[in-house]
Amino acid sequence: MMSGSTDPWPSKLKQLTAQPHRQLPQEEKLQGQLPLTVRFLNAMGNFRRPAIREQALRYVMTGPLRPNERAVIPRGIADTPAGREIRWEWMKEHFETITAWFPEEFLPFLVFQAGGCNLDRLEDARAFFAIPEHSAPGTERQLTRVAD
């Protein structure tokens, strides 16, 4: 980040995400490589400083991202045990907004946000998804898979 600037995100990322229904540039269509946008978003999810993590998660909520791109940063944050807890708490806090991004048939898979071999988080997930407003058809089945 440049001195005096309050925006931590590179201008290239802003260019790539400026249009929600954009065509991928030719440079992103390289065989065997993730699109440049996804690589930037993945990197944003791998920062360990709490303030930067918060900014990255805020960008998930406010940035001009496609629904599938919105999952990249939280997935990166969850690469550590502490990050998995951060992702789970963030998902619960923003559940209504997050569920609006995806078709209903994808909602049962949100239970995997509670994954990571933590029995307390699993019990919390069971309680959270037991609330009828949080449970789409198929949620209980996917929650069983998280527990395995």
Side-chain angles (χ1 to χ4, degrees):
M1 183 165 62
M2 296 179 65
S3 177
S5 174
T6 59
D7 190 351
W9 311 124
S11 61
K12 182 66 173 175
L13 177 62
K14 289 180 183 179
Q15 290 172 348
L16 292 170
T17 61
Q19 301 170 7
H21 301 290
R22 64 204 176 275
Q23 292 290 329
L24 293 177
Q26 191 62 33
E27 67 182 271
E28 291 197 41
K29 297 179 182 178
L30 298 174
Q31 185 176 7
Q33 290 190 18
L34 290 173
L36 189 56
T37 304
V38 174
R39 287 185 276 166
F40 272 122
L41 295 171
N42 193 39
M44 289 168 65
N46 284 294
F47 284 100
R48 299 295 176 239
R49 288 188 187 156
I52 296 176
R53 279 182 170 169
E54 288 175 24
Q55 288 178 328
L57 289 171
R58 198 170 19 251
Y59 189 76
V60 171
M61 302 301 293
T62 61
L65 302 174
R66 296 174 179 172
N68 62 314
E69 293 170 341
R70 292 186 188 280
V72 176
I73 292 172
R75 186 175 37 236
I77 286 174
D79 279 350
T80 66
R84 285 188 278 283
E85 193 62 36
I86 290 167
R87 177 183 66 177
W88 171 240
E89 293 300 324
W90 173 82
M91 194 277 308
K92 290 189 308 181
E93 182 179 340
H94 299 286
F95 186 77
E96 288 183 27
T97 302
I98 292 168
T99 57
W101 296 333
F102 302 104
E104 186 175 357
E105 58 269 16
F106 291 154
L107 300 183
F109 297 100
L110 289 175
V111 300
F112 288 96
Q113 303 297 307
C117 301
N118 182 308
L119 293 177
D120 291 336
R121 191 168 46 247
L122 179 60
E123 289 307 313
D124 189 33
R126 286 185 173 131
F128 182 81
F129 288 108
I131 299 169
E133 298 83 35
H134 298 164
S135 185
T139 298
E140 186 59 39
R141 182 171 150 211
Q142 296 305 324
L143 195 52
T144 302
R145 291 179 66 198
V146 171
D148 286 346

